[in-house]
Amino acid sequence: MPGAGIPLLSAEPEFCVVSRPNESLGSRWRWRVYASLCVVSFGLALGFAAFGAWMVLPYSALEMAVLYLAFRWMERHAADWERISICGDHVIVERERAGTRTRREFNRYWARVEMDEGAFNHPPRLVLWFAGQGMSFGDELPALERAIVARDLRRALAAR
């Protein structure tokens, strides 16, 4: 159910954007893919071991252990989200990363939106500045959508 873990806002926002990672596979299918990779890898390793190349087995086990850790990391971050909203004189930035939820409120009139140029081979980042502190937003968004969100956020901040 999309958005099930995102809490409701206390007031109707003038502007609101939610950013979530693209989850093409659900949890069940992700682990099914992992299980099928294990079957294929260990099947090939056992085939090689039957012909005398038994050293393939530890490497296959190591490969599946590393893949398990990667899949577990993906599972842990599957429900991550970010939301930026403007309610009256407040800009509210909320995010949940690996089960840890944070919320920051800024004064609307002192907030500034910038697109930081990315380093070599990195896309530009959307950063919301307030009182000398920067907070990035929309790291899961494609670069074009991030630029559109920055433009719309600037317009919403200047609307009052």
Side-chain angles (χ1 to χ4, degrees), residues 15 17 82 84 93 95 112-118 123-129 134-139 141-154 157:
F15 177 84
V17 174
E82 293 178 302
I84 187 165
V93 180
R95 68 175 42 150
R112 186 175 84 240
V113 178
E114 289 184 4
M115 288 294 287
D116 282 353
E117 288 302 320
R125 292 179 14 185
L126 187 154
V127 180
L128 184 66
W129 288 92
M135 185 172 196
S136 68
F137 178 80
D139 294 335
L141 293 174
L144 180 61
E145 289 183 28
R146 198 175 307 127
I148 292 170
V149 168
R151 182 196 65 206
D152 293 344
L153 184 56
R154 281 187 192 112
L157 287 173

